[in-house]
């Protein structure tokens, strides 16, 4: 190719695209999607044709067709650019359709559907005739997946806990030959089956299969090694003076290489605060469900939408990013700081000299500090995010941790913990990060570790033993230990008899969950409690944006790297469930409880965007309250009035104002 061809300008690219549709993707990648395009995103068209809630959307590979499926048992294929119906398939389902996919290598002429009638079907798009069906599932089929390099095959996740592989070229007898298509069955921490809710295939590494279920763990399988998961049983032992230990017993006389396959076949991911590790008894565990997950187009990240929580981004390339409850296994513990301590992240770290911040970062820090002092914690976090994205230093991470601690939204204490860890890695002698770390550990229920860090703090900074913040934390630790003793008296022993097979499943879950990896980013402000099909997706020519639906009828757009919210748009009269970006154009399709499919694209400057919502702070606070309120708990609390209840609110807040007193104020 000549150098002149390489230097084609944007007008030449547009002209070439008109003549040659094959360069559509190349054009899209070359054209820049600026942040102002996001700010101009507005409603382009409403596609009307369904007679029920639109539960799923799917683009074909080149983006020329959009498929939608609904409670009306129909699949409609749309031309998104002409905004009209191409064809309608009246399926033979007798339950709400939850998923639709184009089968690869079939010229977009075959679609697969999964529905609430416990079945999955395939249909010829041209004739509308059913080609195959599978009724093996004993629960609703919630999500389908395909691999673009694997023709005639699709995978399904169903609420009987089974992940199934369906090959249209092979027949099987339903339901007697269910085992032939079952790839893996999902079990929870109790050793019992749990509902599978969603799945996805990494299109650049199609051996990778990600599964979301009715718990907090994202499961990433290597399909090549799944068989090895049944080749070993896991034995778990624990003693008072030694860490948890796992032993593996081979069940088929396999070689050592198979044990390596067993350990490589499955990887768990979980936000650290969702892992049930706590020394406070009893602390009620919230229920979680993964409503949607998707690989990034480059195959290096996984985006997960949690029901009852937020959207999280996992970096699949970071093998060292263990969740905090795994830190004891990899960090050293200095014995002079006390026996029985389980973690120490400040050991053997090389101090980093405190550097002068760049002018722009310094201005951002001062602005964030001002917002913090006014009690505008969400706004302060927003500015700290911008500053950290430009320049990473211990001061910014420690200050942002302070804002998280004061705001106290779900997951904030753990986010603050992560920031304190980062601050101490950058500057091991950062006093405030050290103390805030102990605060976070206490709030997360890790009392032994909090006490250990507070003891270290006392040895390192003895002059601050008389500060209000120090005394408050010390008092809270004592109170929690006392409450634990009282609570144990009210615990009812569990006399459930467990079968050997169930014990093996429990040990299996304990082993793989103990190796869980942590999240890289989290995105919040929306609400995901009312439906279990709510999506989140990558958006933009470089996947620089994250988009997700919400129970408030809005959909949210965030900056992927800073985690800051960029835009709220009114997308449904009730709930936005589906958000599916076009594969190459700056075009987004959404749907929800309304019967319409909506298309969104940047509007011109002279068009007033009436669907844009500006009050993010208020909306996010309402959603946070809504997500944390369990209607059943409200009823039970009213019924329990006058009865014995354990205190749930701290008597001490680490001083009158722990983050702005003389000891623990923000760094200037």
């Amino acid at each position: 190719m000549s150098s002149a061809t390489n230097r084609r300008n944007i007008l030449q690219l547009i002209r070439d695209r008109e003549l040659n549709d094959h360069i559509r993707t190349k054009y899209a990648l070359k054209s820049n999607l600026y942040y102002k395009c996001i700010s101009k995103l507005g409603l382009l068209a409403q596609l009307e044709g369904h007679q029920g809630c639109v539960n799923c959307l799917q683009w074909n590979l080149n983006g020329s067709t959009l498929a939608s499926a609904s409670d009306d048992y129909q699949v409609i294929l749309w031309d998104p650019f002409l905004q009209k119906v191409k064809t309608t398939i009246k399926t033979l389902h007798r339950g709400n359709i939850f998923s639709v996919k184009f089968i690869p290598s079939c010229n977009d002429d075959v679609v697969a559907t999964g529905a609430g009638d416990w079945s999955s079907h395939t249909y010829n798009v041209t004739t509308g005739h059913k080609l195959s069906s599978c009724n093996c599932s004993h629960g609703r089929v919630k999500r389908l997946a395909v691999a673009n390099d694997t023709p005639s095959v699709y995978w399904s996740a169903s609420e009987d806990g089974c992940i199934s592989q369906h090959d249209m070229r092979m027949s099987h007898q339903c339901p007697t030959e269910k085992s032939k298509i079952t790839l893996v069955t999902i079990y929870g921490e109790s050793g019992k089956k749990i509902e599978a809710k969603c799945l996805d295939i990494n299109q650049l590494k199609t051996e990778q299969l990600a599964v979301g279920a009715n718990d907090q763990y994202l499961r990433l399988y290597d399909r090549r090694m799944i068989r090895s998961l049944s080749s070993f049983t896991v034995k778990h032992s624990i003693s008072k003076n030694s860490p948890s230990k796992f032993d593996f017993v081979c069940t088929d006389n396999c070689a050592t290489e198979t044990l390596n396959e067993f350990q490589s076949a499955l990887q768990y991911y979980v936000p650290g605060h969702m892992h049930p590790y706590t020394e406070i008894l009893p602390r009620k565990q919230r229920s979680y469900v993964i409503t949607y997950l998707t690989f990034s187009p480059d195959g290096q990240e996984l985006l997960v939408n949690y029901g009852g929580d937020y959207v999280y981004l996992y970096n699949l390339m970071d093998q060292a990013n263990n969740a905090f409850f795994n830190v004891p296994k990899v960090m050293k513990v200095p014995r002079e700081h006390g026996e029985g301590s389980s973690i120490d992240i400040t050991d053997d770290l090389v101090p980093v000299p405190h550097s002068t911040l760049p002018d722009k970062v310094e201005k951002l820090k001062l602005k964030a500090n001002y917002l913090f002092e006014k009690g505008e914690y969400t706004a302060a976090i927003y500015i700290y995010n911008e500053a950290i994205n430009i320049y990473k230093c211990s001061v910014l991470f420690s200050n942002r941790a302070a804002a998280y601690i004061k705001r106290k939204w779900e997951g904030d204490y753990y986010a603050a913990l992560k920031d304190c860890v980062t601050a101490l890695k950058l500057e091991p002698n950062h006093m405030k990060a050290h103390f805030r770390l102990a605060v976070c550990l206490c709030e997360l229920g890790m009392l032994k570790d909090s006490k250990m860090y507070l003891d270290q703090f006392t040895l390192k900074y003895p002059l601050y033993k008389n500060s209000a913040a120090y005394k408050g934390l010390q008092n809270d630790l004592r109170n929690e230990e006392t409450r634990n003793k009282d609570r144990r008296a009210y615990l009812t022993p569990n006399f459930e008899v467990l079968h050997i097979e169930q014990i093996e499943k429990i040990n299996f879950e304990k082993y793989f969950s103990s190796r869980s990896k942590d999240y890289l980013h989290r995105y919040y402000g929306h609400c995901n409690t009312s439906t279990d099909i709510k999506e989140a997706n990558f958006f933009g020519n470089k996947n620089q944006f994250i988009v997700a639906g919400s129970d408030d009828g809005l959909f949210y757009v965030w900056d992927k790297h800073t985690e800051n919210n960029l835009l709220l748009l009114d997308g449904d009269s009730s709930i936005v469930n589906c958000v599916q970006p076009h594969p190459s154009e700056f075009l987004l399709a959404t749907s929800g409880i309304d019967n319409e499919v909506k298309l969104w694209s940047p509007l011109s400057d002279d068009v007033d965007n009436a669907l844009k919502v500006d009050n993010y702070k208020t909306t996010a606070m309402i959603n946070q309250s809504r997500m944390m309120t369990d209607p059943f708990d409200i009823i039970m609390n009213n019924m329990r009035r006058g009865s014995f209840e354990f205190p749930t609110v701290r008597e001490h807040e680490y001083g009158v104002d722990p983050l702005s007193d003389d000891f623990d104020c923000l760094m200037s």
Side-chain angles (χ1 to χ4, degrees):
M1 185 178 290
S2 67
S3 59
T5 304
N6 285 328
R7 293 195 300 268
R8 289 179 299 178
N9 62 33
I10 191 70
L11 294 177
Q12 290 172 316
L13 282 168
I14 294 173
R15 175 61 177 165
D16 288 345
R17 186 179 69 158
E18 292 174 352
L19 299 175
N20 183 359
D21 190 60
H22 293 293
I23 72 162
R24 176 189 298 272
T25 302
K26 182 183 291 187
Y27 164 82
L29 292 175
K30 281 181 174 289
S31 62
N32 292 320
L33 300 180
Y34 298 107
Y35 283 85
K36 66 180 181 181
C37 292
I38 282 291
S39 67
K40 293 295 182 182
L41 195 67
L43 184 63
L44 175 67
Q46 291 191 157
L47 308 180
E48 299 179 355
H50 283 294
Q51 303 302 315
C53 304
V54 182
N55 301 319
C56 50
L57 302 171
Q58 184 63 45
W59 297 95
N60 67 343
L61 199 57
N62 66 12
S64 61
T65 303
L66 175 66
S68 61
S70 168
D71 289 353
D72 61 9
Y73 314 150
Q74 294 187 104
V75 175
I76 299 180
L77 278 71
W78 310 85
D79 185 319
F81 303 106
L82 297 179
Q83 297 150 23
K84 66 178 185 180
V85 175
K86 284 186 171 183
T87 187
T88 299
I89 301 172
K90 298 183 182 297
T91 74
L92 299 180
H93 284 296
R94 290 299 175 262
N96 301 345
I97 302 176
F98 293 116
S99 190
V100 60
K101 289 287 181 180
F102 289 94
I103 299 297
S105 304
C106 294
N107 295 319
D108 299 330
D109 202 37
V110 179
V111 294
T113 55
D117 58 3
W118 299 12
S119 69
S120 62
H121 300 171
T122 59
Y123 291 89
N124 182 286
V125 170
T126 303
T127 64
H129 293 160
K130 185 175 72 171
L131 302 177
S132 65
S133 65
C134 178
N135 305 302
C136 286
S137 175
H138 293 109
R140 297 184 298 175
V141 180
K142 296 309 294 282
R143 192 71 64 172
L144 306 179
V146 296
N148 291 331
D149 64 356
T150 309
S152 304
V153 176
Y154 67 94
W155 290 263
S156 65
S158 54
E159 291 183 336
D160 59 358
C162 292
I163 305 301
S164 303
Q165 180 172 299
H166 309 264
D167 191 330
M168 295 173 58
R169 299 163 296 189
M170 301 175 62
S171 61
H172 73 280
Q173 192 70 31
C174 297
T176 56
E177 295 182 325
K178 178 178 174 64
S179 59
K180 284 188 176 181
I181 65 168
T182 300
L183 194 63
V184 66
T185 303
I186 311 299
Y187 292 86
E189 293 174 330
S190 66
K192 300 176 182 179
K193 287 183 183 180
I194 58 175
E195 297 176 351
K197 292 293 187 179
C198 51
L199 78 169
D200 195 27
I201 297 283
N202 188 341
Q203 299 303 328
L204 296 188
K205 294 182 179 179
T206 54
E207 69 275 8
Q208 290 187 338
L209 168 67
V211 175
N214 211 28
D215 67 0
Q216 64 268 50
Y217 297 106
L218 161 64
R219 295 160 170 86
L220 180 61
Y221 293 90
D222 188 323
R223 292 193 294 117
R224 302 168 300 181
M225 304 178 186
I226 281 181
R227 290 183 181 274
S228 67
L229 293 175
S230 60
S231 299
F232 288 86
T233 58
V234 182
K235 292 188 175 181
H236 181 231
S237 59
I238 187 169
S239 62
K240 186 175 182 180
N241 298 319
S242 64
S244 182
K245 180 182 178 183
F246 295 95
D247 296 309
F248 307 93
V249 179
C250 181
T251 58
D252 61 358
N253 299 319
C254 47
T256 305
E257 288 77 9
T258 308
L259 177 58
N260 294 333
E261 289 184 1
F262 172 82
Q263 295 171 325
S264 303
L266 179 58
Q267 177 63 59
Y268 280 26
Y269 294 82
V270 65
H273 64 282
M274 294 186 190
H275 190 270
Y277 177 83
T278 177
E279 298 164 51
I280 297 179
L281 300 172
R283 173 168 283 190
K284 180 181 177 183
Q285 286 296 320
R286 296 184 59 225
S287 297
Y288 299 101
V289 58
I290 297 178
T291 63
Y292 189 80
L293 52 81
T294 183
F295 287 93
S296 59
D298 63 7
Q300 297 183 6
E301 297 169 328
L302 258 169
L303 190 67
V304 182
N305 199 350
Y306 281 87
D309 207 272
Y310 307 128
V311 175
Y312 292 87
L313 180 71
Y314 297 103
N315 182 1
L316 304 183
M317 310 307 291
D318 186 358
Q319 298 302 313
N321 190 22
N322 290 340
F324 79 89
F325 53 85
N326 283 319
V327 177
K329 298 183 179 180
V330 296
M331 293 297 180
K332 298 179 181 179
V333 179
R335 294 190 178 274
E336 65 269 24
H337 290 166
E339 296 295 331
S341 57
S342 61
I343 63 175
D344 186 75
I345 52 172
T346 63
D347 188 38
D348 293 344
L349 290 171
V350 179
V352 177
H354 199 73
S355 58
T356 303
L357 298 179
D359 290 343
K360 182 178 180 180
V361 176
E362 179 67 24
K363 290 178 181 178
L364 288 171
K365 188 199 75 171
L366 293 175
K367 181 179 180 181
N369 288 2
Y370 173 74
L371 292 168
F372 177 92
E373 295 298 334
K374 289 180 60 180
E376 299 285 344
Y377 304 120
T378 298
I381 291 167
Y382 191 101
I383 303 300
Y384 286 134
N385 290 344
E386 288 187 3
I388 289 172
N389 192 49
I390 299 171
Y391 187 80
K392 293 174 173 55
C393 72
S394 58
V395 173
L396 295 174
F397 282 106
S398 181
N399 286 7
R400 187 171 67 177
Y404 281 136
I405 291 171
K406 289 294 286 183
R407 190 175 66 172
K408 302 177 185 177
W409 285 8
E410 179 69 17
D412 274 357
Y413 282 118
Y414 184 67
L417 175 74
K418 287 166 68 74
D419 276 353
C420 291
V421 169
T422 303
L424 289 170
K425 286 181 177 179
L426 293 171
E427 189 177 344
N429 294 321
H430 197 296
M431 180 185 67
K432 294 170 185 177
H434 190 150
F435 181 78
R436 288 168 183 155
L437 180 64
V439 171
C440 294
L441 290 168
C442 179
E443 292 290 345
L444 291 166
M446 300 183 70
L447 306 182
K448 184 189 297 183
D449 295 317
S450 178
K451 187 177 184 304
M452 183 268 289
Y453 272 104
L454 193 60
D455 290 343
Q456 288 186 10
F457 184 87
T458 305
L459 293 172
K460 207 167 185 179
Y461 311 105
L463 295 178
Y464 294 95
K465 288 178 62 176
N466 295 322
S467 71
Y470 179 92
K471 290 180 179 179
L473 176 56
Q474 196 175 48
N475 200 29
D476 276 332
L477 285 170
R478 283 196 297 264
N479 289 342
E480 284 295 357
E481 290 171 356
T482 301
R483 288 185 189 129
N484 269 358
K485 293 178 182 178
D486 294 338
R487 285 166 177 150
R488 287 189 180 96
Y490 288 86
L491 288 178
T492 303
N494 184 2
F495 295 110
E496 181 183 1
V497 178
L498 303 179
H499 297 289
I500 294 178
E501 183 179 352
Q502 187 176 356
I503 293 174
E504 291 175 351
K505 294 288 189 287
I506 291 173
N507 291 339
F508 180 94
E509 289 299 313
K510 284 182 177 178
Y511 170 68
F512 281 104
S513 65
S514 71
R515 301 167 64 243
S516 296
K517 303 294 184 183
D518 202 5
Y519 71 86
L520 178 63
H521 293 298
R522 68 171 183 153
Y523 310 96
Y524 51 82
H526 64 300
C527 183
N528 183 9
T529 59
S530 299
T531 59
D532 61 356
I533 56 172
K534 201 167 283 92
E535 299 177 352
N537 245 308
F538 296 92
F539 189 35
N541 64 326
K542 296 181 180 178
N543 308 306
Q544 65 269 54
F545 308 117
I546 302 297
V547 59
S550 178
D551 289 342
D552 54 13
L554 310 178
F555 68 89
Y556 291 64
V557 183
W558 297 272
D559 181 285
K560 186 178 84 170
H561 300 289
T562 67
E563 305 177 6
N564 286 340
N565 179 264
L566 303 176
L567 182 68
L568 283 72
L569 284 171
D570 191 349
D572 193 273
S573 62
S574 180
I575 298 172
V576 176
N577 282 322
C578 304
V579 285
Q580 289 293 324
H582 190 275
S584 58
E585 303 290 346
F586 196 16
L587 181 66
L588 181 71
T590 67
S591 67
I593 304 303
D594 293 343
N595 297 346
E596 300 85 19
V597 177
K598 296 181 175 68
L599 298 178
W600 307 81
S601 185
L603 304 176
S604 61
D605 291 337
D606 57 347
V607 176
D608 182 29
N609 193 348
L611 298 178
K612 186 176 180 180
V613 177
D614 294 323
N615 54 340
Y616 168 75
K617 177 187 172 183
T618 302
T619 303
M621 290 182 66
I622 292 173
N623 283 338
Q624 173 69 197
S625 176
R626 181 179 182 180
M627 224 165 33
M628 296 304 104
T629 302
D630 187 338
F632 180 75
D633 284 347
I634 296 175
I635 296 172
M636 294 303 295
N637 285 335
N638 291 333
M639 293 174 63
R640 283 198 300 262
R641 285 179 180 174
S643 62
F644 175 81
E645 289 187 50
F646 293 113
T648 57
V649 180
R650 301 272 185 203
E651 283 85 353
H652 298 277
E653 281 288 345
Y654 318 116
V656 177
D657 191 348
L659 299 177
S660 62
D661 61 19
D662 292 339
F663 163 65
D664 204 34
C665 62
L666 284 170
M667 301 182 74
S668 58

